[in-house]
Amino acid sequence: MPREKFQTLTEQMFYILLCLRETCCGADIMERVRAITNGRVAVGPGTLYHLLDSFVGAGMIEEVDVGAGGRKRSYRLTAAGRRALAQEFDRLNRQAADYRRCILKEGEDA
Amino acid sequence: MKDRKFRPEGSLQFYDYERIERHLAQMAAKGWRLERISGLGWHYRRAPAKKLTYAVEYFEEGSDFNAGLPNSQREFVEYCEAAGWQLVTTWAQMMIFVSEEENPTPIETEPATRLETIARSMKRNFLPGSIVMIVLGLLEAGLQLPGLFRDPVGFRSGAGLYAGLCWLLVAVVFACRTGHYLVWLRRSRRAVGAGGDCLPMHTSWIAAVDRIVLAGEIVLLAGMCVRLGVRWLGCMAVLVAGFYLNLLLTWRLRDFLRARNVSAWTNRLVTIGFCAVFAFALTGGIVWYALTAW
């Protein structure tokens, strides 16, 4: 089920996983996504919390550190998470290539 | 001038987050900020009128029986605080946040995640509670049916007709709420699956049904008292007063145990047990009085 759920990644899922190529505390991810995308993409705290939980459940990320009182958890990407990120990158590239081919064809036809 | 206000807010449905957010923002603009929600209603305090943004979230592990927020919920609150949202209060699975920023980043930025969070949270409390009330309403109404077949004339002039209709109306109210929520959930899943957003809820008609049913219940109870005599009026008054006393004592007991850090399960067990014993004693006492005194 989780594999099917994350077969394609939304923009927010993509950037959350991208941030977690380095170990990162959950609450810091929002700022990192904003920085990577120059403020274009904002991940809401509720969405972030629930997606991190789902990613852990799907084995795409893992908890690496739990702070005092069981809070302030940090996460990092697993091999499965890296594969999902790479697959999404390929999918986006194929999409971009299709776009270029179609637009170029239109230009040639005109 | 009063600096506290209490409103039952019966027209706000637990799952209609958009309407609650709009309502709280309007109250803040009029100078009333939400302080807490109790079983009786919503408590506001006076504050300078201000444009505030409210967000209603649902958290599966949230419960009024928890002694403080569980770690997972505390972590959720910390994420929200990092994004500029302050927790106002919690009520069962519901959490209410406020932000003073002009355009804060919404707490939920993906409709699919929001929808599934709502669905999981409603399964914990709202849906089981509503289903219990529908079954109880239909069961109580159904229990009156043998009397109708056995003695149709006596049934029409006795308490069975009124009691049956009252319970049927209870079932109707909860069936409307549950049905409306489930239809909204199904349609929203379809819309979100097609790349759209969660659909608006339009719950104002549910509030209208609530009001009509309440009026119907009052008319039925009044009709029963008129037909059956003043003794019944006394019994009904004791029953209604006892019902509210039971609710008040139950909530007090729950809050007392919560303040003493009693585990959620023990609190739930003791509180529900107390409520059931009180209700049984109340109805049993009234039936015993009716059978022996009349």
Side-chain angles (χ1 to χ4, degrees), chain B residues 11 13 15-16 19 172-173 175-181 183 201-212:
Chain B
S11 64
Q13 300 301 322
Y15 54 88
D16 192 352
R19 191 165 175 179
V172 167
V173 166
C176 283
R177 288 181 192 169
T178 312
H180 176 263
Y181 163 73
V183 168
M201 297 223 186
H202 304 303
T203 53
S204 48
W205 71 272
I206 302 265
V209 169
D210 282 356
R211 280 195 289 272
I212 292 167

Side-chain angles (χ1 to χ4, degrees), chain A residues 4 6 37 69 79 87:
Chain A
E4 200 182 317
F6 294 120
T37 63
Q87 277 168 9

